[in-house]
Amino acid sequence: MQKNSNIDLLVNEIKAILTKGIFNNRLFFNEPLKRHTTFGVGGPSDIYAIVENIDELLILCNLAKKYKTEVLIIGMGSNLLISDKGFRGIVIRLSGDFDNIELTGTSTVRVGCGVSLNKLISFARINKLSGMEFAIDIPGTVGGAVKTNAGAYEFAMSDFITNVTVLNSNDDVIEYMPEFEYRYSSIKDNEIILFVEYHLNKSSTKEINRNEKEIKQKRRSLQPKGRSAGCVFKNSYGFSAGKLLDETGCKKLCVGDAIVSEKHANFIINNGNASANDIYILVKKMKKNVFDKKKINLETEINIVGFDDEL
Ligand code: EPU
């Protein structure tokens, strides 16, 4: 794809910042995003930055504004399908200050948005705090999980959140309690989640270990291994999307190395060298299949970035 001149100017200004020693070894140009998504697909990002504090974040956000380019915050890339063309602009992974967890009360924790769910669960276990076990082994970060109100086994992130700190589009850091619904939060797309406060339940190591074991077993028995992005579609109209996809014969579908899992029809697996386009075409086929046979319009749960046509 032809780069526009704004991107070139942005890249030049960022390269000049590098010479001042800021972002030491944490800025990359033309970084293949397939290295950063669980599907293992996605073209290059003009700039990929690992950001460790709010000052660095503001530098990049202000440069993006100056050159009218996009910013995409990614976590572990587990709910994400990025096109083979990649991303024109800056992709940011929040780390450093945003990878910390702090006990703020007997049952409250303040967690950076770049913290992995398993790290949070492990911190909670050590402090005998229960609640988050439902999310064990979901390969995501707190930021991504809160934005999408990730959930499993009757629980969701929102059951334990007391407030969220974001950076808004005016560069103000604000704290509030968003509204949450099934796989939805009212956190705006132009707000960057920084920290999340959770209220957990006092428990015992024995009880927490038991919960974790049970969830792991359930997940293993019902969900496939392999390179996926979790469930592709949201459940809707009181139906499980996986069940609908299965009943309409989607498990037979594949495009190149992108295949619908035999174990769970709401999972697409990259079985080798699938391209983002293979996966995208397969998502369309699954959606069409359910619409043609059941007249239900499934809504995608995964975040799809950089495709020109509508699903
Ligand atoms: N089913 C089938 N065939 C399939 C898949 C499922 O018949 O191919 C049936 C199952 O036998 C079961 C029902 O559909 O009777 C529901 O399946 P499951 O228990 O796997 O739950 P789900 O509704 O498909 C949801 C979440 C999962 C979460 C599980 C467990 C969504 C879209 N999915 O799946 O979340 O882990 O419940 O709570 O809400 C995700 O968000 O990425 C995700 C994987």
Side-chain angles (χ1 to χ4, degrees), residues 78-79 134 138 148-155 182-183 215 218-219 222-223 228-236 239-247 251 260-267 299 301-302:
S78 56
N79 202 36
F134 75 89
I138 294 180
T148 55
N149 195 18
Y153 309 107
E154 314 303 325
F155 289 102
Y182 164 72
R183 298 295 192 272
I215 296 291
K218 278 192 195 166
R219 213 185 289 288
L222 292 167
Q223 297 181 2
S228 84
C231 284
V232 175
F233 296 99
K234 293 181 185 177
N235 289 343
S236 55
F239 288 103
S240 155
K243 197 161 187 228
L244 275 176
L245 289 155
D246 192 0
E247 284 169 3
K251 281 184 178 171
V260 175
S261 160
E262 264 299 318
K263 198 165 186 181
H264 197 301
N266 203 5
F267 283 69
E299 195 187 328
E301 179 183 313
I302 53 176

